[in-house]
Every structure is written in structure tokens, then in C-alpha cells.
Amino acid sequence: MSADPAEPVYRNPVLDADWSDPDVIRVGDDFYLTASSFGRVPGLPLLHSRDLVNWTLVGHALQRLEPESEFAAPMHDCGVWAPSLRHHDGRFWIFWGDPDRGVFQVNAPEIRGPWTRPHLVKAGKGLIDPCPLWDDETGEAYLVHAWAKSRSGVKNRLTGHRMHPHGTELLDEGKVIVDGDRIPGWFTLEGPKLHRHDGWFWIFAPAGGVETGWQGAFRSRAFFGPYEEKVVLEQKDTDVNGPHQGGWVRTPSGEDWFLHFQQRGAYGRVVHLQPMRWGSGGGWPVIGDDGAPVAEHRRPDLPPQPPAAPATDDDFPGGRPGRQWQWTANPRDGWATHHSADGLRLTCVRTPDAHDLRALPNVLTQRLPGTPCTVEVDLRLDDGEPGARAGLAVLGDAYSWIGLQRGPDGTVRLVHRFAETVADQERDAAPPRPAPGGRARLRVDIDAGARCRFSYDTGDTGDTANTADTGDGAGQGGFRPSGQVFAATPWRWVGALLGLVALAPTGQGHAGTATFTQFRIRIQEKRADR
């Protein structure tokens, strides 16, 4: 999933997973990107690149969602929406909108922190997608944001404010500076990114909805307008639907580039890199191939870099999950145990919601890759009581998981369950099977349509008739298929997630632990290098 620097071209998407609503900046020779994290924790992912094509995840700016008690349970479509990343006065700044609470910001001297705790810049419902601007020409500071109709009853407009240069508060009540209802054919105007260029105030803002929309640009000589508008990127005759909502960045040599997302169903919002130039005589930005997204292009004029991509595999050294993992709500002490060896040791958390993984805060997740892949992990269900269970899940509005469960007689069996979108509890996807020793290697093969085929290897050689030869030697042909094909589904604003979970029904005392080791994702169909 990484790009060969020897190749003269790159291929889109450059981030082939759900890095929703990306924003990007350059500081010196380094590029940094953040994205929406909604209700997952830690939030505000921080990615780094030297060539705009190869990216690595270097951390998160938000360790817990606040107010902490309100994010103790999953709120999949709430939390952090469409952050803006900026560098000003020697500090990194991230502003985002929580649609239920208002505009927040955090800042830090270095990209890896330490980051401040969230500061509420403006309280209110429906305030989303904020972006600050510190105007070096005048010393003034500004902020623009959009509106979520689901919370405020208002949408399709951008509101501008003067902001205190310290970034802590707004200095006025705000004014609508772009009203999408007054622009023929425009709707769902949102996601503004504010810039100063060539004597103009520029707002890059998408419209038209995430699946079918376009990228707009607005310009004015004065921050509060009036603004002119133009569509600068749209699908045209390509297969890239809804190419929009992202960030503009300039390289040290003066090249301009634009990063944006494409909505791809269960895969979420994958990220594309587009060439950009400014029209002659102070004109409008020209993005992609004369306003159409490119599938491939000459690489940016930047020093070649080693192939890189956000990590997926994990041996969980010391019992600690890697940066790619996020909980579905604010974590609590005791969910995972640190120790001296490899392996993720999860407590089987007692819960009244054991029948529905979507309601659990203690699911450890990472993004579903956007290319066909095979996901595998070893699982051991340790000491515990009847009902304790753990497994590997594909999570969305519907979900399916495969794993181990301790029965009333103390024996451990392989179980496979699923829940439809409209169902409030799960059902068996396959009959339970013996799991000698309380161990299994679990597998999900995911094809180009996000269709998932579950299988398992318990090391039991007695069921050879059902053995599935994978052809790659994994498990020496010991993997056995389980259940019907499951089509992964997204959540409302989030792509499907891979999850590891351990749980138990309500009761008293310690319910047991589960240990996950050797988590691996293998890409099945490698494209030509990006």
C-alpha cells in the first residue's frame, strides 16, 4: 500500500482507507495531515509525509473526548468533525467542530505534542468544520465555520468571525459571508478552508454532498465579502465520485497540490492527491486535469522517500496496541493489561450489551483497508466463567464477528455471529464448533466489494472434510470457512472498522481475559505502486 519512490508517477488514492475530511499543512520540509475521528479515541490522527504520497501515522492530538462522561458510550457519528490544521507563531493548531457542543481547539509546540486540553472557542449546536486564519498582512485573525442542519436547523451557509490572535475566543457574533441558497444549484455547502493568497481571501469549500458533490472556491478582497464562487473540481467523466473537501498545500519549490476525499461506501472516505495551479493573472485555482480528478500523475517535485503507509500489523509489544488502534469511546482503566511480553491482553468486560457489539465502548478498532485483503489474528481465551467471549469483528451499521466463547460446562467453543442493520441483537452465523485448548487463529478475507468471508483454524485435525486450502500455506491448509458471505457496511459518517473485543454478560467478579497475538493484514491484490 506504499509508493515506490523510483516510479515517476503516483496513483490515487494515496491513503486508501477512511481518513475522512483531510486537512494538510507544510512546515519546513515536512507535511502533516489530520482527519475526522468522530467518536473514536484517541482522536485527531496526525500523519506525516515528506513527499505527499507516502504517509505514516505519528500520533494523535486528542487523548480523550470531552466532556468525558458523555463519551463513555459509543457515539459513532458525533465528536470530532472536519478538523483544520494550521501552524502559527511556532505552534501547531487544530480547530474542529463538535456538532453538539461547538468549536474547539488544541495546540502544541511540536506535532507529537504535548497538546493542550480542548478549549471551547465558541459554544453552540450545529457549529461544524471551523477553520482559522492568521492574516500576516494585517495581524488580524479570523475564523469561518459551516452549519449542521441536524442540530441547528441551518445548513448551506458559511459564517465568518473575527478571532482573538491567541485563538482562544471570537470577537463578534459572526456574519454569514457565503449563503449557498443564493447560488443557483448549490446545496450542502460545508467544510471551508480559509487562506490568504495574492491579495484575496480564499475559501475552499465543498458542496453537493459527500457522494456526488464538488469542490468550490470563493474569493473576496475583504474577509466579510462579497465573495465570488467557482467550481474547481468535480467528477466529470471519471470514476471518482464526489471529489471534494480537503486542503491546499505548497511545496518548497512552489508547486501547489490539493488533497481531498472520495466516499467509497464501507471503505469510508479515501484520500486523493491532485495537482493544482493558479490561473494566470491572479486567477482561480485549477485542480486535477482541468477540474477533473486524476487517477495518476507525475510525482511532486520533492526528494524521493522510502515507501511508507500507516501501520496495520501489530504484535502488541508489552500489551500495548499500536497507534493505528482506537477505542469506540473513552477507555477505562483495566480494559487492557500491560505486561512484559507480546500480545494484547483484554479483560472480558461485563456488560448488559453483550448481545450487540455496536453498543460497546471497549471495542478496539482500526480502519478497514480500501483494497482486497486478508486479516488474521491469534486468539486465546484464558481463565474465566461461562459466557466470557472474544473475537475479531467487522463493524458497521451491520456487523459480524468470529471468536471464542466459554460454555456452561467450562469448555471453549468457536462461535460466529452477526447482526443486521435493523436488528437489536446478534444471531449465530454458523453452528458453534469445538476449540481445543481455548485457542484459534481467526481470518477474514475481504474482496473488492467489501464482502467478508470468515474462517478459522483451531488446530483440530478431526474435521478434515471441511478444511479450506487457502493456497498460501497459512495454517497448512487448516482454515475452515464459517457462515455466509457478509457484506461490510459503513456507519453514518464512518467506514467499516476492524475490531478486537472481549466481553462477558453482567455478573460479579472477574470474568476472564483474552489474549490476541500476531495481528496481520495482507493485501491480496497489489496494484502497480502509487
Side-chain angles (χ1 to χ4, degrees):
M1 298 178 67
S2 57
D4 184 349
E7 290 288 326
V9 300
Y10 70 89
R11 293 172 177 84
N12 278 315
V14 293
L15 283 167
D16 203 355
D18 186 23
W19 301 95
S20 178
D21 312 319
D23 195 22
V24 62
I25 59 169
R26 176 177 66 87
V27 180
D29 293 328
D30 298 284
F31 299 92
Y32 300 103
L33 181 147
T34 191
S36 295
S37 50
F38 299 100
R40 302 195 302 278
V41 181
L44 289 174
L46 303 168
L47 286 80
H48 170 255
S49 178
R50 284 288 185 93
D51 63 1
L52 291 172
V53 175
N54 292 283
W55 292 89
T56 57
L57 179 63
V58 297
H60 292 82
L62 189 61
Q63 295 308 307
R64 299 183 74 82
L65 287 163
E66 297 187 9
E68 290 198 21
S69 62
E70 296 187 29
F71 287 96
M75 301 180 70
H76 301 297
D77 60 351
C78 300
V80 176
W81 284 24
S84 292
L85 175 62
R86 293 293 181 263
H87 190 261
H88 167 72
D89 197 25
R91 298 185 71 84
F92 292 87
W93 301 77
I94 302 179
F95 285 68
W96 75 93
D98 178 320
D100 299 300
R101 292 164 185 84
V103 174
F104 289 86
Q105 62 97 334
V106 292
N107 60 87
E110 304 290 341
I111 195 68
R112 291 171 175 83
W115 289 86
T116 61
R117 285 188 62 176
H119 174 79
L120 184 61
V121 179
K122 181 184 180 182
K125 286 188 175 292
L127 310 180
I128 59 169
D129 309 351
C131 184
L133 171 70
W134 286 270
D135 188 349
D136 293 334
E137 296 181 21
T138 66
E140 299 285 334
Y142 304 95
L143 183 132
V144 62
H145 68 80
W147 294 87
K149 186 174 182 179
S150 59
R151 271 69 165 189
S152 65
V154 175
K155 72 168 188 174
N156 204 33
R157 65 188 63 174
L158 306 179
T159 296
H161 295 266
R162 284 190 171 87
M163 183 176 71
H164 194 291
H166 291 166
T168 56
E169 60 182 316
L170 303 179
L171 303 180
D172 56 34
E173 294 300 314
K175 175 185 175 183
V176 174
I177 57 177
V178 179
D179 186 346
D181 289 346
R182 295 178 177 272
I183 307 173
W186 285 58
F187 59 97
T188 317
L189 177 64
E190 57 188 352
K193 296 292 181 277
L194 182 59
H195 300 276
R196 197 86 155 94
H197 173 69
D198 198 28
W200 296 87
F201 287 92
W202 289 90
I203 300 174
F204 287 69
V210 295
E211 294 186 354
T212 59
W214 58 88
Q215 181 65 38
F218 300 81
R219 69 179 185 183
S220 174
R221 292 295 185 184
F223 171 70
F224 287 104
Y227 282 85
E228 309 169 72
E229 81 282 343
K230 185 176 182 180
V231 175
V232 293
L233 183 70
E234 55 187 326
Q235 180 171 354
K236 295 190 175 180
D237 59 355
T238 74
D239 61 359
V240 180
N241 59 295
H244 70 309
Q245 189 151 338
W248 159 46
V249 68
R250 176 167 286 178
T251 69
S253 65
E255 287 185 346
D256 294 303
W257 296 86
F258 186 77
L259 284 149
H260 67 90
F261 76 67
Q262 174 198 9
Q263 173 69 36
R264 289 189 56 220
Y267 298 114
R269 302 172 184 181
V270 303
V271 178
H272 292 240
L273 176 66
Q274 302 295 336
M276 176 176 146
R277 60 182 173 83
W278 291 91
S280 60
W284 294 86
V286 180
I287 301 177
D289 180 10
D290 196 25
V294 300
E296 62 180 45
H297 193 269
R298 171 188 57 81
R299 299 172 67 90
D301 181 20
L302 293 163
Q305 300 296 318
T312 56
D313 294 355
D314 206 346
D315 288 320
F316 309 105
R320 293 171 172 83
R323 294 188 183 102
Q324 66 268 34
W325 296 97
Q326 296 171 291
W327 299 99
T328 48
N330 281 328
R332 301 172 200 166
D333 292 340
W335 285 358
T337 302
H338 296 167
H339 52 88
S340 59
D342 288 352
L344 178 69
R345 191 175 297 161
L346 295 183
T347 299
C348 294
V349 176
R350 292 189 179 278
T351 174
D353 295 314
H355 58 280
D356 190 347
L357 300 191
R358 294 164 296 198
L360 300 184
N362 59 305
V363 185
L364 193 61
T365 68
Q366 67 166 282
R367 293 162 179 82
L368 184 73
T371 52
C373 65
T374 296
V375 182
E376 289 185 11
V377 67
D378 280 334
L379 171 61
R380 184 182 74 240
L381 191 61
D382 298 319
D383 61 301
E385 65 177 42
R389 67 200 74 165
L392 168 66
V394 178
L395 286 164
D397 276 337
Y399 72 85
S400 186
W401 71 280
I402 190 168
L404 301 173
Q405 179 170 329
R406 191 173 299 277
D409 60 355
T411 62
V412 177
R413 300 181 72 81
L414 190 291
V415 296
H416 181 190
R417 300 196 173 106
F418 77 101
E420 300 169 83
T421 301
V422 297
D424 59 4
Q425 57 184 335
E426 61 191 26
R427 298 161 49 199
D428 283 334
R433 299 172 182 272
R439 297 172 179 263
R441 185 149 183 87
L442 310 173
R443 171 186 282 184
V444 187
D445 291 293
I446 307 171
D447 69 14
R451 291 180 295 270
C452 305
R453 293 171 172 82
F454 288 79
S455 57
Y456 64 95
D457 181 0
T458 60
D460 180 8
T461 59
D463 189 14
T464 55
N466 289 329
T467 296
D469 187 355
T470 64
D472 61 5
Q476 290 73 50
F479 277 95
R480 303 166 189 173
S482 181
Q484 300 299 315
V485 173
F486 170 75
T489 62
W491 271 311
R492 186 176 181 188
W493 306 122
V494 181
L497 298 168
L498 301 171
L500 303 178
V501 63
L503 67 152
T506 54
Q508 300 297 318
H510 181 64
T513 59
T515 301
F516 295 87
T517 54
Q518 298 185 45
F519 183 91
R520 298 289 184 268
I521 296 180
R522 299 195 310 275
I523 301 304
Q524 295 175 353
E525 297 177 6
K526 289 190 175 181
R527 304 171 302 170
D529 288 319
R530 291 199 305 273

